[in-house]
């Protein structure tokens, strides 16, 4: 039957052989190469691992475990880990797309399943590919504050990360031997410099268009351009190059960005109100209460600390305020005390934050009234905000009204 | 014989078997932990809505984005002059990534939260500048290779 033969021929043309994935019909490109796939895969594996480890660290800050306290020193540690998290996530975008482009014809390989191992491997590609795309997409959308979904970003991003990492472990196990062989052997074609007339037919130069090395360089170049145009939101000397960064560390109220304005937090009336008080209560011998002017006159301690947003931007400032540990002593709290800091902001997951023992007693953990010589603006947490070393910005609670000793 | 005919060596696959199954078991246990967490925290994660984006992202890539890139690649191979092809490919890859990344910035989705420090720049203009610089580099690179190639192919002077 000629029609059936024609269909079979067409299917053969449009599909690939799982054993000879490079021997493709419709998708032939000299760039679809094992070694290139291995290079891209290894790079992506490194970037995703950086994102996962730094993401876990950030999660641990926001969901503390009593048996695994996070260090409050060095003070800039969270700034480094979270900047790395966001920068590695952004840089992985071109590499993920390139990797998927190189291996995409495997998606249409026939027969779809050869044996049990192949079936397990192919099923595992779904959480890997879908999860990888989800993580990069949701991360980039989140830093641009674009929320086309209805789920809570931190929880979804965190749990899908486990799915991706699990799929990555399975994938590395499946590809280890192939990737190692591909990375170990020298390139099958002579490099450009060695190309001569005799080798012309097989040298990189003979192929019009990007060489494999050129393709890899371009993809890394794309990751580099994205990094260069965004990383200035946290590496302040590169601020002027950060044309595509969602934040500028020198733009915002009092020349500094904020993630949540006073209007969005619903504290425009309560924060500047003469009824405002800071109350220190809980497991204390003396309940304390201060108004805004008393706090301002008590604010004598200064510390230079970074404020580092989970979204990857940060800046360093000189803060002035009252030490939390001095307040604990004044209230007669136990030496082992921990504390929870509550905001005037209601109904947000970030309305309060926890200070473990090390953080509560750190000499630089302040309830600040000033930064860089200026009284805090409403958007920066007037009349009082928490600032402590090595904490994520979301835990540097603003519009602080209660310190509950635990 | 082209390099594409080098077969995948089966014995190495067999050598990899124990590692394959161990990592598959460990990997799927971690995946199960992630799925359990998603379902357990369903008030935050909204599994049905999340599933739409999880599956939707993969479908959008495999059925929309990847075929479009393949078609662009085919058109480029057919239409672009051979000496300029590599540079055009490089320019398209880098600027494509920049456009994709900048999409939510250019659309200014953050404006609904009225926070002046969110997305403080004119991202349409900044994207245009960045893409312009990339294509400037592409043009300079293409011209430089053309000049070098012409020089290299010129016969040596005998006088």
């Amino acid at each position: 039957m000629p029609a059936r033969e024609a269909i079979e021929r067409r299917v053969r043309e449009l599909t690939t052989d799982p054993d000879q994935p490079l021997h493709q019909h419709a998708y032939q490109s000299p760039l679809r190469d094992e070694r290139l796939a291995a290079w891209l895969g290894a790079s992506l594996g490194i970037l995703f691992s950086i994102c996962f480890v730094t993401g876990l660290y950030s999660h641990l800050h926001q969901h503390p475990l009593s048996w695994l306290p996070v260090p409050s020193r060095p003070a800039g540690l969270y700034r480094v880990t979270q900047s790395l998290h966001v920068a590695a996530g952004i840089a992985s975008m071109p590499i993920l797309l390139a990797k998927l482009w190189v291996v995409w014809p495997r998606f249409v390989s026939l027969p779809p399943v050869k044996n049990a191992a192949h079936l397990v491997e192919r099923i595992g590609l779904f959480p890997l590919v879908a999860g990888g795309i989800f993580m990069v997409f949701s991360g980039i959308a989140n830093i641009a504050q674009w929320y086309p979904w209805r789920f809570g970003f931190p929880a979804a991003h965190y749990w899908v990360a486990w799915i991706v990492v699990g799929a990555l472990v399975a994938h590395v196990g499946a590809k280890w031997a192939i990737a190692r062989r591909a990375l170990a052997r020298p390139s099958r074609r002579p490099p450009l410099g060695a190309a001569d007339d005799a080798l012309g037919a097989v040298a990189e130069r003979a192929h019009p268009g990007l060489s494999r090395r050129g393709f890899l360089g371009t993809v890394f170049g794309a990751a580099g351009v994205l990094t260069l145009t965004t990383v200035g939101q946290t590496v302040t000397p590169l601020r002027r190059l950060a044309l595509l960064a969602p934040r500028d560390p020198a733009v915002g109220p009092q020349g500094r960005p904020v993630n949540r304005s006073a209007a969005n937090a619903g504290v425009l009336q309560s924060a500047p109100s003469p009824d405002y008080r800071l109350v220190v209560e809980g497991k204390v011998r003396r309940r304390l209460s201060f108004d805004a002017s008393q706090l301002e006159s008590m604010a004598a301690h200064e510390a230079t600390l970074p404020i580092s947003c989970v979204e990857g931007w940060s800046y360093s400032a000189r803060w002035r305020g009252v030490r939390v540990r001095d307040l604990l002593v004044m209230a007669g709290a136990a030496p082992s005390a921990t504390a929870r800091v509550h905001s005037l902001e209601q109904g947000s997951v970030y309305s309060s934050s926890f200070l473990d023992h090390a953080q509560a007693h750190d000499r630089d953990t302040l309830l600040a009234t000033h930064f860089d010589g200026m009284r805090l603006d409403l958007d920066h947490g007037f009349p009082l905000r928490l600032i402590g070393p090595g904490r994520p910005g979301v835990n540097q609670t603003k519009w602080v009204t209660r310190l509950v000793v635990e | 014989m082209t390099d594409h005919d080098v077969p995948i060596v089966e014995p190495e696959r067999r050598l990899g078997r124990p590692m394959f199954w161990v990592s598959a078991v460990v990997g799927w246990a971690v995946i199960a932990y992630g799925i359990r967490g998603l379902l357990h925290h369903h008030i935050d994660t909204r599994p049905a809505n999340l599933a739409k984006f999880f599956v939707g992202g993969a479908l959008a890539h495999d059925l929309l984005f990847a075929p479009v890139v393949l078609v662009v690649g085919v058109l480029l191979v057919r239409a672009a002059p051979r000496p300029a092809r590599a540079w055009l490919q490089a320019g398209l890859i880098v600027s494509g990534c920049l456009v994709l990344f900048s999409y939510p910035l250019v659309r200014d989705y953050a404006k609904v939260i009225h926070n002046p420090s969110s997305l403080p720049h004119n991202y349409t203009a900044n994207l245009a500048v960045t893409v312009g610089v990339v294509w400037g580099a592409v043009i300079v690179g293409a011209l430089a290779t053309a000049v070098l190639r012409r020089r290299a192919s010129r016969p040596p002077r005998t006088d």
Side-chain angles (χ1 to χ4, degrees):
Chain A
M1 239 193 281
R4 191 177 160 175
E5 276 174 22
I7 291 170
E8 279 179 359
R9 199 179 61 238
R10 198 84 191 120
V11 168
R12 266 201 311 279
E13 274 171 13
L14 289 174
T15 55
T16 62
D17 180 343
D19 269 344
Q20 296 273 314
L22 307 178
H23 200 83
Q24 293 141 359
H25 305 283
Y27 316 100
Q28 227 159 24
S29 163
L31 299 179
R32 289 218 169 80
D33 167 82
E34 243 177 39
R35 188 173 157 86
L36 187 54
W39 263 101
L40 291 168
S43 313
L44 206 52
I46 292 169
L47 289 173
F48 275 17
S49 300
I50 292 173
C51 287
F52 184 66
V53 172
T54 51
L56 270 187
Y57 183 67
S58 182
H59 183 83
L60 202 56
H61 263 288
Q62 294 169 66
H63 303 269
L65 298 172
S66 54
W67 53 271
L68 192 59
V70 281
S72 56
R73 298 284 170 173
L77 181 61
Y78 186 81
R79 185 184 200 182
V80 172
T81 62
Q82 196 58 18
S83 301
L84 259 180
H85 180 84
V86 172
I90 293 173
S92 65
M93 191 258 255
I95 298 170
L96 174 65
L97 291 176
K99 165 81 177 164
L100 290 176
W101 180 82
V102 169
V103 299
W104 190 81
R106 285 168 180 271
F107 176 59
V108 288
S109 68
L110 274 183
V113 173
K114 285 192 309 170
N115 52 41
H118 191 224
L119 175 69
V120 169
E121 191 189 325
R122 287 210 82 174
I123 293 174
L125 288 178
F126 175 66
L128 184 65
V129 173
I133 292 171
F134 178 88
M135 292 304 284
V136 173
F137 168 72
S138 61
I140 288 175
N142 178 62
I143 60 169
Q145 306 206 316
W146 175 32
Y147 301 104
W149 50 70
R150 290 203 305 277
F151 50 79
F153 169 77
H157 200 69
Y158 174 75
W159 288 109
V160 174
W162 283 101
I163 295 178
V164 176
V165 162
L168 195 59
V169 168
H171 188 66
V172 168
K175 297 293 182 197
W176 186 259
I178 295 172
R180 256 191 72 174
R181 192 193 59 206
L183 290 175
R185 70 169 165 71
S187 177
R188 284 177 296 200
R189 295 183 200 191
L192 266 182
D196 61 21
D197 290 345
L199 289 170
V202 289
E204 294 275 13
R205 199 172 191 169
H207 151 66
L210 279 174
S211 63
R212 286 166 299 168
R213 206 166 285 182
F215 179 69
L216 196 63
T218 301
V219 172
F220 286 163
V225 172
L226 279 174
T227 305
L228 207 61
T229 50
T230 52
V231 81
Q233 65 176 343
T234 185
V235 182
T236 33
L238 297 177
R239 189 176 77 79
R240 299 214 172 272
L241 289 176
L243 293 177
L244 302 177
R247 302 297 180 123
D248 183 328
V251 173
Q254 298 174 300
R256 295 299 191 185
V258 295
N259 203 22
R260 199 157 174 77
S261 65
N264 287 331
V267 298
L268 282 177
Q269 263 81 51
S270 54
S273 160
D275 297 335
Y276 167 84
R277 293 288 181 280
L278 168 74
V279 174
V280 184
E281 58 188 1
K283 290 182 180 170
V284 291
R285 278 208 290 276
R286 289 172 294 279
R287 187 176 181 273
L288 307 174
S289 174
F290 306 97
D291 65 22
S293 61
Q294 285 172 311
L295 288 165
E296 204 172 330
S297 59
M298 285 159 65
H301 190 79
E302 289 202 1
T304 302
L305 291 172
I307 188 151
S308 326
C309 182
V310 286
E311 290 172 9
W313 55 268
S314 68
Y315 63 86
S316 185
R318 185 89 182 142
W319 305 87
R320 177 147 63 88
V322 189
R323 278 173 166 167
V324 168
R325 76 175 188 195
D326 292 347
L327 289 171
L328 294 179
V329 169
M330 282 167 75
S336 60
T338 59
R340 188 161 277 279
V341 181
H342 293 265
S343 172
L344 288 169
E345 183 186 2
Q346 301 291 314
S348 157
V349 279
Y350 303 118
S351 301
S352 76
S353 67
F354 179 68
L355 291 168
D356 69 16
H357 183 261
Q359 293 159 353
H361 295 267
D362 192 287
R363 63 188 156 81
D364 285 343
T365 299
L366 307 178
L367 289 175
T369 55
H370 291 72
F371 83 116
D372 289 341
M374 297 174 282
R375 187 73 176 99
L376 287 176
D377 183 271
L378 257 186
D379 283 340
H380 283 291
F382 176 90
L384 197 65
R385 81 165 303 162
L386 175 65
I387 185 82
R391 290 166 71 76
V394 288
N395 286 0
Q396 310 276 32
T397 306
K398 298 197 280 193
W399 312 292
V400 173
T401 186
R402 276 198 310 146
L403 183 68
V404 179
V405 180
E406 295 179 354
Chain B
M1 175 170 155
T2 70
D3 56 353
H4 288 165
D5 291 326
V6 178
I8 304 277
V9 186
E10 277 297 328
E12 287 190 39
R13 274 205 169 171
R14 249 175 266 138
L15 273 180
R17 278 282 154 82
M19 181 163 174
F20 174 85
W21 288 110
V22 169
S23 54
V25 168
V26 173
W28 278 97
V30 176
I31 292 173
Y33 174 72
I35 294 172
R36 189 184 146 274
L38 276 180
L39 297 177
H40 185 72
H41 296 90
H42 61 93
I43 294 169
D44 284 337
T45 59
R46 305 246 185 148
N49 184 249
L50 193 150
K52 270 186 212 164
F53 281 87
F54 194 88
V55 177
L59 289 181
H61 174 270
D62 285 350
L63 303 179
L64 199 73
F65 183 78
V68 166
V69 172
L70 291 178
V71 169
V72 171
V74 168
L75 292 179
L76 187 79
V77 166
R78 289 199 182 153
R82 288 167 74 96
R85 198 177 291 170
W87 288 101
L88 284 174
Q89 284 171 325
L92 281 173
I93 290 169
V94 177
S95 37
C97 289
L98 288 169
V99 169
L100 266 184
F101 174 80
S102 309
Y103 176 78
L105 306 173
V106 169
R107 294 295 306 268
D108 198 11
Y109 290 111
K111 65 171 173 256
V112 292
I113 55 171
H114 303 293
N115 175 357
S117 58
S118 266
L119 309 192
H121 303 306
N122 177 350
Y123 291 95
T124 312
N126 285 6
L127 176 64
V129 168
T130 316
V131 170
V133 169
V134 168
W135 282 96
V138 164
I139 291 166
V140 170
L143 290 176
T145 9
V147 169
L148 288 175
R149 203 169 279 171
R150 192 166 299 165
R151 250 183 226 169
S153 62
R154 200 180 292 160
R157 300 174 78 171
T158 49
D159 52 359

